[in-house]
Amino acid sequence: MRNAVAIMQRELIAYFFSPIAYVVLVLFLGLCGYLFTEFVFKPGGEASLRGLLDGWTMPIMLLFFLSLLGMRLLSEEFRNGTMETLLTAPVTEVEIILGKFLGVGAFYLAMLAGTLAYAALVAVFGDLDVMLLACHYLALVLLGGLYLSVGLFFSAWTRNQLVAGLLAIVFLLVFSVLSQLVANQFEGWVRAVFQHLSIVTHYSEMIRGRLALDHVLYFVTTTAFFLFAATKVLESRRWR
Amino acid sequence: MISVKNLTKRYGPVLAVSDISFEVQAGQIVGFLGPNGAGKSTTIRILTCYQPATSGQATIAGFDVFTQSVQVRRQIGYLPESAPLYPEMRVREYLHFRGKLHGLDRAARDAAIARVTDRCWLGEFINRPIGQLSKGMRQRVGLADAMLHNPKVLILDEPTIGLDPTQIQEQRKLITELGKSHTILFSSHTLSEVERLCSHVIVIASGRILASGTPEKLRQSVSAGSRLIAEMKGPAEEIRRGVTAIAGVKKVDLDGRDGWQRLSIEAGDGQDVREPIFALSAARGWTMREMRREVASLEDFFVKITAEQRAQSAKR
């Protein structure tokens, strides 16, 4: 576990020097600011961040941004050759994956922390529902965690960042947008299945304030699955 | 300390390492010598647990590289061929990071970093970003990293590649120095280097071990059929006939220039034909201006065996 923390710290140092990280941070906060003034910060509006978070905009935006952040996690180490020094140190694959995930996760949390300013503005001018706000941020954290674990998984496959990023984006689009579109074409149980598969369904439910266990479990289990799978992909090179 | 038995590695149909076995005793500096693509890096990567072998066994300090990978990795310090580092980190930051991975606490890390800084001459650039360092400095940082946890075994893949002559000398000095306290296995394709540094040489080409022994032993096996170079003035045909008639001479090549004949003489094993040649030139009045024995270097040996290897694979 101490190794995972060391890797996490190194990862955070790397973000300070990564142009992609700065671009993502600035674009994300900029777009959030625009959406906030356009849909939330209005006289007579609802005293919550729902206008900013609801619908497709936020999940799709994060999908692209977090795939950009996640694609370099392992691919870059493979390309630089530093994976060789990492894997020949007494470090387990689980620690590497966990450290990387925590590192990029911490950066994502810092991104989210920037949006708390908007919540503060709402609280100044209206009666902010703190429980709902907590539910919103939980949804954002869980959604981001899932996106990043998928990015990490694809990053374990290839030394090419771009390929890793594109695969993650396509995969995530299938499981958020496409499954939603397919669900809309059907009735009954088929619809239910596809809706349940869709990431956005679970996210939207939480944004509407429905903090049900099955939504939280959906995110936690899928994230855990992709982290596990990434570990196995990384381990496989020891016996391939 | 290192024991390799019947190690084989295939990449699909390509045989990278074929059934090699060798031992490295504690305290030895062993040079792993071979042309590019010989299988040196592959063997080293198997030993450092980065890649699995297709078959065979390898142990380091008694631990199996496949089943006891973590224990093996605690025993070794490894410098990969290109000395990969994180360009965005500072040297000190990087060494702290690596120290943490080896389970050193803060005080132990500070002490270890001070030690390797001193030994690898990192003093002036310990606080510089790695991205700004030259190739030679990066190699030293990589070596410092390999030594950080004071491992029993150092495995260095081409530690002097890409360095300028001064840096190569410094790096060699350092390796010799380290050899006093560590077991070292390092690969190289430069003969003079291996000849100078190692107590034991393993020559590898096309994934096979071609020869193994002390540098002296290897040199002897080449110099068995050593050559004599002589230059004298006289009629070419007479010289040829005269020299060929000397007992022990197997073959004479002549090369005439400005009235001087340059002789390249091959003598039989253990035969010293210098004296009869001198006597001959003196008796016939052929002025001699040079006579020397061409001592075979490992370089010749290397060229010879790799050429043989190539000829063999061409036949196949």
Side-chain angles (χ1 to χ4, degrees), chain B residues 261-280:
Chain B
Q261 300 296 328
R262 191 178 175 78
L263 287 79
S264 170
I265 302 155
E266 239 172 76
D269 288 354
Q271 302 259 21
D272 192 349
V273 294
R274 285 175 293 182
E275 206 179 333
I277 287 174
F278 173 75
L280 178 77

Side-chain angles (χ1 to χ4, degrees), chain A residues 2-3 6-7 9-10 13-14 17 77 80-91 237-240, chain B residues 9 45 48-50 52 66 69-70 73-74 78 80 84-86 88-89 93 97-98 100-103:
Chain A
R2 224 176 32 191
N3 287 340
I7 291 169
Q9 287 167 343
R10 201 214 73 75
I13 294 175
F17 292 90
E77 301 255 2
N80 282 347
T82 43
M83 194 52 103
E84 197 165 340
T85 49
L86 200 55
L87 284 176
T88 51
V91 181
R237 59 167 307 115
R238 287 212 204 272
W239 36 263
R240 252 187 306 187
Chain B
K9 173 73 185 176
R45 284 178 165 176
T48 54
C49 313
Y50 185 60
F66 192 66
S69 162
V70 175
R73 284 180 272 153
R74 286 209 182 95
Y78 173 39
L85 303 164
Y86 300 101
E88 70 273 7
M89 294 179 100
E93 255 171 10
F97 167 63
R98 297 292 298 178
K100 280 185 212 164
L101 293 187
H102 281 288

Side-chain angles (χ1 to χ4, degrees), chain A residues 45-210:
Chain A
E46 190 181 307
S48 83
L49 291 182
R50 225 179 73 180
L52 173 66
L53 305 175
D54 211 0
W56 289 97
T57 324
M58 188 55 95
I60 298 295
M61 202 165 88
L62 281 178
L63 189 155
F64 281 97
F65 285 159
L66 296 187
S67 296
L68 281 175
L69 285 183
M71 66 186 189
R72 54 162 285 284
L73 285 171
L74 297 165
S75 303
E76 197 170 73
E77 301 255 2
F78 279 122
R79 205 200 50 206
N80 282 347
T82 43
M83 194 52 103
E84 197 165 340
T85 49
L86 200 55
L87 284 176
T88 51
V91 181
T92 64
E93 281 79 356
V94 177
E95 287 166 337
I96 294 175
I97 295 292
L98 219 55
K100 292 273 172 189
F101 182 68
L102 292 176
V104 70
F107 185 82
Y108 173 57
L109 289 184
M111 265 167 69
L112 284 185
T115 65
L116 281 173
Y118 308 133
L121 271 178
V122 173
V124 169
F125 290 98
D127 185 14
L128 182 72
D129 184 342
V130 179
M131 288 312 286
L132 184 62
L133 186 76
C135 189
H136 284 168
Y137 273 92
L138 181 65
L140 283 174
V141 168
L142 290 174
L143 180 74
L146 174 54
Y147 284 171
L148 290 173
S149 68
V150 170
L152 190 54
F153 169 74
F154 283 107
S155 189
W157 279 104
T158 168
R159 55 192 286 128
N160 189 327
Q161 291 190 31
L162 208 63
V163 171
L166 282 176
L167 283 174
I169 286 172
V170 169
F171 180 88
L172 287 173
L173 281 176
V174 166
F175 277 91
S176 48
V177 183
L178 195 68
S179 57
Q180 195 67 259
L181 292 178
V182 172
N184 290 345
Q185 301 301 311
F186 291 96
E187 291 292 329
W189 66 270
V190 184
R191 185 193 178 98
V193 166
F194 276 97
Q195 241 171 7
H196 190 80
L197 274 178
S198 170
I199 299 165
V200 176
T201 312
H202 298 278
Y203 168 77
S204 303
E205 289 288 301
M206 289 184 73
I207 292 302
R208 278 171 212 138
R210 256 169 257 161

Side-chain angles (χ1 to χ4, degrees), chain A residues 215-238:
Chain A
H215 301 314
V216 176
L217 271 181
Y218 170 86
F219 282 112
V220 171
T221 50
T222 38
T223 304
F225 170 77
F226 279 107
L227 291 180
F228 174 76
T231 312
K232 289 296 150 192
V233 172
L234 203 55
E235 264 173 21
S236 74
R237 59 167 307 115
R238 287 212 204 272

Side-chain angles (χ1 to χ4, degrees), chain B residues 84-269:
Chain B
L85 303 164
Y86 300 101
E88 70 273 7
M89 294 179 100
R90 288 169 193 281
V91 175
R92 188 190 297 280
E93 255 171 10
Y94 177 70
L95 292 176
H96 266 289
F97 167 63
R98 297 292 298 178
K100 280 185 212 164
L101 293 187
H102 281 288
L104 304 178
D105 61 24
R106 179 91 211 180
R109 284 204 304 276
D110 283 335
I113 290 171
R115 194 188 76 236
V116 298
T117 307
D118 193 41
R119 291 203 97 169
C120 300
W121 307 292
L122 291 178
E124 17 177 341
F125 33 83
I126 187 79
N127 289 319
R128 292 257 293 274
I130 291 170
Q132 291 179 4
L133 299 184
S134 72
K135 175 82 184 159
M137 294 177 190
R138 292 169 54 104
Q139 287 274 5
R140 280 195 227 161
V141 175
L143 193 59
D145 162 31
M147 291 159 48
L148 200 60
H149 54 295
N150 215 351
K152 286 187 190 147
V153 181
L154 281 174
I155 298 180
L156 315 172
D157 197 356
E158 303 266 6
T160 57
I161 203 167
L163 303 186
D164 67 33
T166 339
Q167 291 170 333
I168 289 181
Q169 266 186 356
E170 285 177 359
Q171 189 87 321
R172 285 181 186 158
K173 227 192 305 175
L174 182 58
I175 291 172
T176 316
E177 187 77 7
L178 288 173
K180 291 172 190 158
S181 47
H182 303 264
T183 306
I184 300 181
L185 174 69
F186 81 95
S187 76
S188 174
H189 62 262
T190 326
L191 269 144
S192 50
E193 180 168 295
V194 170
E195 207 172 348
R196 211 167 312 164
L197 295 178
C198 299
S199 52
H200 195 93
V201 183
I202 296 166
V203 184
I204 175 172
S206 316
R208 286 183 181 77
I209 290 182
L210 300 180
S212 150
T214 60
E216 292 77 36
K217 196 181 126 196
L218 292 185
R219 205 177 306 123
Q220 271 167 16
S221 69
V222 212
S223 59
S226 75
R227 283 135 76 91
L228 207 60
I229 304 291
E231 238 175 274
M232 50 182 98
K233 201 184 249 173
E237 265 322 293
E238 270 180 57
I239 293 178
R240 183 193 298 280
R241 245 179 288 131
V243 173
T244 317
I246 293 169
V249 171
K250 284 208 302 203
K251 196 172 157 235
V252 182
D253 285 317
L254 258 81
D255 184 19
R257 196 175 296 160
D258 310 330
W260 289 93
Q261 300 296 328
R262 191 178 175 78
L263 287 79
S264 170
I265 302 155
E266 239 172 76
D269 288 354

